[in-house]
């Protein structure tokens, strides 16, 4: 992920994904990167304390159904957090 190159939608040039983290209220953290040419900001994902707790549970469980459900919950909540940011 760190050395991946993506095309910037704003300026059309290639830029490295250099992830940075920004903290918001209520334990929310945004992982983002900016285009090295035009500085356009892209949000990769957003987590909060609940998402990070589920991620810990996910790493600790080996049960396939539980893992599946946790992954679903995490994905849905991350989507929601991203739109609310
Ligand atoms: Zn750009």
């Amino acid at each position: 992920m760190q050395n991946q190159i993506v095309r910037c939608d704003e300026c059309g040039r290639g830029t490295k994904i250099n992830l940075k983290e920004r903290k918001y209220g209520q334990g929310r953290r945004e992982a983002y990167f900016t285009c090295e040419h035009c500085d356009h900001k892209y949000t990769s994902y957003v987590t909060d304390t609940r998402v990070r707790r589920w991620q810990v549970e996910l790493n600790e469980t080996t049960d396939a159904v539980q893992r599946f459900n946790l992954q679903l919950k995490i994905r849905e909540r991350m989507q929601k957090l991203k739109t609310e940011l």
Side-chain angles (χ1 to χ4, degrees):
M1 190 73 171
Q2 282 298 320
N3 288 314
Q4 204 184 327
I5 310 286
V6 289
R7 183 178 173 276
C8 172
D9 291 333
E10 282 300 303
C11 67
R13 291 200 270 176
T15 182
K16 276 193 210 113
I17 297 179
N18 191 4
L19 277 188
K20 293 173 200 143
E21 193 177 80
R22 186 176 291 175
K23 287 181 179 153
Y24 291 84
Q26 292 150 352
R28 283 175 302 171
R29 291 182 204 164
E30 175 194 23
Y32 70 98
F33 66 94
T34 50
C35 171
E36 57 194 76
H37 305 290
C38 71
D39 241 18
H40 188 79
K41 179 169 161 285
Y42 293 93
T43 301
S44 291
Y45 56 88
V46 183
T47 63
D48 65 356
T49 46
R50 200 185 301 180
V51 167
R52 290 192 297 275
R53 196 176 60 228
W54 287 338
Q55 286 172 330
V56 170
E57 282 177 39
L58 185 64
N59 286 329
E60 287 170 350
T61 183
T62 50
D63 183 85
V65 175
Q66 228 180 339
R67 286 183 62 83
F68 183 83
N69 286 328
L70 277 166
Q71 279 165 343
L72 267 185
K73 280 203 291 191
I74 290 168
R75 202 179 313 144
E76 275 170 20
R77 183 149 181 90
M78 276 174 138
Q79 279 294 333
K80 189 166 170 280
L81 287 169
K82 200 170 171 175
T83 57
E84 284 174 355
L85 202 67

